[in-house]
Amino acid sequence: MSTAMEGKKKDSRKQSSGAAFQWLSGIVLTIGGLFFLLPFFWMITSSFKPEGEIVQIPPTFWPESFTMHNFTYLFNNMKFDVYFKNTLIIVLFSYIGLLLNALAGFGFAKYDFKGRNALFVLVLATMMIPSQVTMIPVYLILNSLGLTNTMTGIVLPGLVGAFAIFLFRQFMSTIPTELLEATRLDGASEYRIFAQIVLPITKPILAVQAILTFIGGWNSFLWPLIIANDESLYTLSVGLSLLKGQYAANFGLQMAGATFMVVPVILLFTYFQKHIIENFSISGMK
Amino acid sequence: MKGFLNKQAPYIFIAPTLILLTLFSIVPILVALVISFTDMDLGGLANFNSISFIGFENYVEVLKDPVFMKAIYNTIFYVVIGVPLVILFSLAIALLINLGTSRIFKAFRVVYYLPSVTNIVAVAVVWNYLYNPTLGLFNYLLNLVGLPDVPWLTEPTIAKLSLILLALWKAVGLNMIIFIAALQGIPKSYYEAAQLDGANTWQQVTRITIPMLRFAIFFVSITTMIGWLQFFEEPFVMTQGGPLDGTLSVALFIYQNGFKFNNFGYAAAGSFVLFVCIIAITLVQLKLQKNESDMT
């Protein structure tokens, strides 16, 4: 009897210490989270402040006089419309790259051909090559092909990636071979099998890759920076780093440019976060 | 023709990516190796005949270059301070989120992950504003609680730490997700058994969770270390390597020599020094990991 009582007492004490722990970790995470969000908050509110309010000390936490002037200036006096268009073109091209990655993943996953394993190791090995080493030779190669300062030259170096090929291969290996065999017996060509059987099955990973490809293309910086000499080929990131140099003291304008780049990605990510995070959990550690 | 196309299908599937990867990843390694032994510069770009082989001169020069030495010192500084901080913070946040029972803890995953998906240039521009000595929010907040101004980006050592703080903010999210995934892979029965034996939360974390996470910690430390060895965009956008080369990283040194001063051969030699360092450090880590798993 008394031991049962004691056990119960111990239990409830454990529960209350558990609840205290939950509260404590909740508070710690909230404070940390506020620090993590602070730069975004400051970026967005500052982008709506007029120049006079930006240089005001002490700073205002919420724009007192709300203005869109910084954003209109980006488009009317800087070439942010051109940068925006170029960035979208790069995103579109990177979707061709995504398709090529999926094709290669399928080739490596479901066919047995001579040299398959050696070639796949070669693909994986490219993941270990740092971009600083390839930066200069790729520039020289593109230059000798006459592709510097062209959109093709900007897009090509980063079009395909070993990591995406690896993910596609892992996922496509789980597609039952009998299914492909049956379709083949019905007279379908290999290309038709890919388009009508494999791609639909791969939809979950394709969707996540599509979002990550968008984010990657939207954020692309290094190759446009190196390959584009002409302002008409700049992307948003390159334009923004240019803006920071030209308007070093105009923080409202800089924040508007940053907001324009960051907010679409934040919205997209928050909307799809469940799928992206789960994809990492599934594919990342296997 | 159709039969032939069908038979060659696997090769046709992999050909485009293999060609692109060969052209932009494999061939460049060889090209970089060759030009690192030449005096190639802007003139050589126009006329290949003006390039001449100079043996190991670039390597000898670059290893004597005080700026390169500074860049190596700074990069080691970034790695030594940055990597442990990334692991510590991402692991701690992952543990707290994973132990949480309320639904709100799922929202924290998004909050901490957000910086990882945002554009590095935009983020660097924003932090540059936060760090501004007169108008920046950080100094204002410090003054508010009675602390003096901090020379965030104007004093060489503090500038390095400021860049680390920004990079830490950006890197925690992705690694936290990797840790959460690994945490969820630990069987619940281990904890139940420990609870029956009367182990408290702290004991469970230190005796079960951390040992079970050994592989994830190893994975994160290797990828983070390789990433920090290539530290580039943060100093490029925020400080251009200044003040007094105080934030110059090896990657930025290579970029500046290649594309600002057009010393392609010299920069390629520098990039190979970096490449060899990355490979060596990775191999050492793999070896350490192997020894450790042999012991247990």
Side-chain angles (χ1 to χ4, degrees), chain B residues 92-159:
Chain B
I93 294 168
L95 280 172
L96 287 180
I97 289 179
N98 198 52
L99 285 170
T101 45
S102 157
R103 282 189 59 152
I104 185 134
F105 286 91
K106 284 220 155 154
F108 283 125
R109 294 195 310 190
V110 184
V111 168
Y112 287 97
Y113 192 57
L114 265 189
S116 295
V117 290
T118 48
N119 180 287
I120 180 65
V121 179
V123 157
V125 166
V126 172
W127 279 70
N128 190 59
Y129 175 40
L130 294 170
Y131 281 147
N132 187 281
T134 46
L135 300 174
L137 181 67
F138 285 167
N139 272 350
Y140 171 73
L141 291 177
L142 285 180
N143 293 342
L144 214 59
V145 293
L147 292 168
D149 281 354
V150 170
W152 296 105
L153 295 174
T154 42
E155 201 280 322
T157 305
I158 295 177

Side-chain angles (χ1 to χ4, degrees), chain A residues 5-216:
Chain A
M5 279 284 278
E6 231 166 52
K8 221 174 177 181
K9 212 165 121 193
K10 205 173 160 193
D11 231 38
S12 75
R13 199 174 65 212
K14 206 163 128 197
Q15 244 165 26
S16 75
S17 87
F21 176 80
Q22 292 288 328
W23 275 101
L24 192 69
S25 79
I27 290 165
V28 170
L29 285 172
T30 309
I31 293 169
L34 286 177
F35 177 73
F36 264 64
L37 293 180
L38 182 70
F40 295 128
F41 169 80
W42 201 242
M43 167 189 80
I44 295 171
T45 53
S46 302
S47 69
F48 293 113
K49 289 177 191 170
E51 227 182 318
E53 205 178 322
I54 291 271
V55 296
Q56 195 178 305
I57 297 172
T60 50
F61 273 81
W62 198 255
E64 270 167 3
S65 44
F66 185 90
T67 174
M68 288 297 285
H69 172 260
N70 291 322
F71 287 93
T72 51
Y73 191 92
L74 286 180
F75 285 90
N76 296 339
N77 299 56
M78 304 233 6
K79 289 193 175 149
F80 260 64
D81 48 342
V82 178
Y83 308 155
F84 181 52
K85 192 195 78 196
N86 289 334
T87 307
L88 287 184
I89 292 174
I90 290 181
V91 168
L92 281 181
F93 272 113
S94 58
Y95 279 107
I96 298 177
L98 178 66
L99 188 71
L100 292 179
N101 287 335
L103 271 173
F106 180 53
F108 281 119
K110 281 293 162 194
Y111 294 93
D112 209 1
F113 52 87
K114 227 174 130 193
R116 180 181 75 164
N117 291 339
L119 288 174
F120 191 62
V121 168
L122 190 74
V123 168
L124 292 184
T126 62
M127 274 202 274
M128 284 170 232
I129 300 171
S131 55
Q132 284 79 31
V133 178
T134 53
M135 191 157 74
I136 290 158
V138 166
Y139 175 77
L140 299 177
I141 291 171
L142 289 171
N143 188 58
S144 63
L145 294 172
L147 289 174
T148 43
N149 210 19
T150 64
M151 191 46 96
T152 321
I154 293 173
V155 169
L156 274 185
L159 196 60
V160 296
F163 189 62
I165 298 173
F166 174 73
L167 283 187
F168 277 119
R169 194 199 84 123
Q170 293 300 87
F171 191 86
M172 287 169 177
S173 305
T174 63
I175 299 174
T177 311
E178 297 80 36
L179 182 68
L180 306 181
E181 217 38 75
T183 327
R184 220 165 265 152
L185 284 177
D186 289 343
S189 72
E190 304 299 324
Y191 309 96
R192 215 185 151 116
I193 292 174
F194 175 76
Q196 296 190 337
I197 308 285
V198 174
L199 273 190
I201 295 177
T202 321
K203 229 165 148 186
I205 199 162
L206 212 53
V208 175
Q209 282 295 320
I211 300 160
L212 293 180
T213 303
F214 175 85
I215 294 176

Side-chain angles (χ1 to χ4, degrees), chain A residues 107 111-113 190-191, chain B residues 5-15:
Chain A
Y111 294 93
D112 209 1
F113 52 87
E190 304 299 324
Y191 309 96
Chain B
L5 269 181
N6 224 12
K7 235 175 134 187
Q8 299 302 321
Y11 292 107
I12 294 170
F13 285 150
I14 63 167

Side-chain angles (χ1 to χ4, degrees), chain B residues 7-44:
Chain B
K7 235 175 134 187
Q8 299 302 321
Y11 292 107
I12 294 170
F13 285 150
I14 63 167
T17 41
L18 276 186
I19 291 169
L20 285 169
L21 283 178
T22 309
L23 193 58
F24 295 117
S25 286
I26 315 264
V27 172
I29 287 283
L30 303 174
V31 175
L33 191 62
V34 171
I35 58 172
S36 72
F37 293 106
T38 69
D39 61 352
M40 178 153 192
D41 55 12
L42 205 58

Side-chain angles (χ1 to χ4, degrees), chain A residues 232-253:
Chain A
S232 66
L233 283 170
Y234 282 2
T235 58
L236 285 170
S237 335
V238 180
L240 189 61
S241 77
L242 186 78
L243 171 86
K244 186 189 163 271
Q246 283 178 348
Y247 296 82
N250 193 339
F251 290 112
L253 198 61

